[in-house]
Amino acid sequence: MIGAGDLILGLETSCDDTCAAVVSGAGEVRSNVISSQGIHDAYGGVVPEIASRHHLELVNAAVDDALRRAGATLGDIELVAVTQGPGLVGALLVGVATAKAIAAARGLALAPVDHLQGHVAANFLREAGGAEAIMEPPFVCLLASGGHTLLASVEDHETFTVLGRTLDDAAGEAFDKGARLLGLPFPGGPALERLARDGDPEAFAFPVARGLGGLDFSFAGVKTALLYRVRDLGEEGARERRADLAASYQHAIVTALAERCERALAERGGDRLAIGGGVAANGPLRARLARLGVALGVPPRELCTDNAAMIASAARFVDAQPFPAYLAIDAYASGERALA
Ligand code: KG4
Ligand code: ZN
């Protein structure tokens, strides 16, 4: 069992960010290093092989940096936590191999962490100087990233139950693909949010998939609607209306996400909502959810996008493997329970 003052070294390399962090057993973030590779833009998306190679080049420096910023050495670390999956196989492998090597060299226990559970567990961290977690369970959690979009019921620290999920694209994917259609760089979410500030969210009516029953999402329709609208406007017309297109497109995605959150809370009789995943960094989404009038867990932006502090946070609640640990990656792992 990890004590409040013990230090956990977290590693996260499931996609294109090479992340290392030091978190205390009480959930205080002592350091949170995120090396964004920034080299995938030229390809319009993450190239798995390139991501793996860059993880290899960056991971040791990220660990050193995380320790230095925390004012710690490896001798102060009690537990090593690493993302086991889901994610890109080669990318995960670099984090897991690094974590195993550190654990083996130091005789430390190793905690395998599910990436989605990590996004949830960002809410279990304390904000700088804060005495309490951002949000403690139970709560409903919207997880929206580049790879996943789901609504979960989080009853405890260990696992969560999926209430609904996207039937096609993830919300982050919709942002990225929409941004690409508007000629914006990858990753598209932040760029589209910036462009949308100069536009009118009501200029175009994009579909919100309201007809979909239950708590599932669909973003294929809104993406196709943008594609057709851009085609109809023609190259020059679309360029002139870029900001309006971005604002209206973002508005449709935010509305779809917020309405499902509202429905989940109504159906489950809950009044506590938390968010996680890269799309949770979106300003208009955060503002919209703040108007729901429920207790809201909103991690700071750097804890919403991929980071290792959330992995170390989740590790406080998983069974660590004592040294020597034989941990395999599981690219398709997920700590979720599906609702039957
Ligand atoms: O959680 P994350 O960093 O990585 C995954 O696990 O996928 O999420 C990345 C996704 C990308 O699709 C990115 O465009 C989106 O999150 N994203 C945003 C914003 N910041 C990141 N989407 C909308 N608005 C943002 N500000
Ligand atoms: Zn993620």
Side-chain angles (χ1 to χ4, degrees):
M1 195 62 195
I2 281 289
D6 290 340
L7 295 184
I8 305 163
L9 173 67
L11 287 170
E12 151 64 42
T13 64
S14 67
C15 193
D16 62 334
D17 293 319
T18 313
C19 312
V22 176
V23 168
S24 78
E28 294 154 348
V29 181
R30 300 285 170 86
S31 65
N32 188 26
V33 173
I34 302 166
S35 300
S36 292
Q37 298 184 352
I39 31 139
H40 302 275
D41 185 16
Y43 306 95
V46 177
V47 184
E49 182 57 24
I50 295 178
S52 319
R53 285 177 197 216
H54 276 80
H55 283 310
L56 210 50
E57 285 167 11
L58 296 171
V59 72
N60 287 337
V63 170
D64 288 348
D65 206 15
L67 289 167
R68 190 178 49 75
R69 289 180 194 214
T73 68
L74 276 181
D76 302 315
I77 301 295
E78 289 294 325
L79 176 67
V80 184
V82 63
T83 306
Q84 186 180 23
L88 303 171
V89 180
L92 290 165
L93 199 57
V94 177
V96 169
T98 306
K100 275 187 190 175
I102 294 171
R106 293 278 159 176
L108 296 171
L110 190 57
V113 174
D114 176 273
H115 182 78
L116 298 182
Q117 187 67 37
H119 277 303
V120 171
N123 286 283
F124 307 152
L125 290 165
R126 297 180 186 193
E127 293 226 54
E132 286 173 14
I134 296 165
M135 189 165 261
E136 291 284 2
F139 53 78
V140 168
C141 190
L142 171 69
L143 282 187
S145 71
H148 302 88
T149 294
L150 52 90
L151 267 167
S153 169
V154 180
E155 289 99 19
D156 55 41
H157 289 113
E158 282 92 39
T159 182
F160 58 86
T161 306
V162 177
L163 304 172
R165 61 186 347 139
T166 182
L167 301 178
D168 38 58
D169 292 350
E173 212 178 333
F175 268 106
D176 293 338
K177 288 177 178 169
R180 200 171 173 186
L181 281 170
L182 297 174
L184 297 168
F186 179 84
L192 196 142
E193 182 183 346
R194 270 194 302 278
L195 175 61
R197 281 184 202 137
D198 300 324
D200 174 6
E202 314 276 349
F204 300 96
F206 287 120
V208 178
R210 284 203 179 92
L212 208 63
L215 294 169
D216 287 334
F217 302 89
S218 169
F219 295 103
V222 68
K223 186 187 65 187
T224 311
L226 177 65
L227 174 73
Y228 288 155
R229 185 58 75 163
V230 167
R231 266 193 206 161
D232 291 349
L233 286 167
E235 207 176 314
E236 195 153 325
R239 203 176 314 118
E240 273 170 20
R241 305 291 307 273
R242 266 171 101 228
D244 283 344
L245 286 164
S248 302
Y249 185 72
Q250 172 175 257
H251 181 65
I253 297 174
V254 165
T255 302
L257 293 170
E259 287 187 356
R260 284 293 184 279
C261 289
E262 247 182 312
R263 191 185 284 181
L265 290 165
E267 284 182 6
R268 308 209 40 104
D271 57 0
R272 292 163 63 74
L273 178 70
I275 56 178
V279 178
N282 184 268
L285 175 66
R286 294 158 85 98
R288 176 86 182 246
L289 296 177
R291 291 200 296 273
L292 290 182
V294 296
L296 193 61
V298 186
R301 284 184 169 75
E302 67 277 12
L303 295 177
C304 286
T305 48
D306 284 349
N307 67 87
M310 70 183 195
I311 301 303
S313 175
R316 297 180 292 149
F317 308 104
V318 306
D319 289 332
Q321 311 201 7
F323 175 82
Y326 299 101
L327 177 65
I329 59 161
D330 186 350
Y332 307 102
S334 194
E336 66 194 55
R337 279 188 298 249
L339 205 61

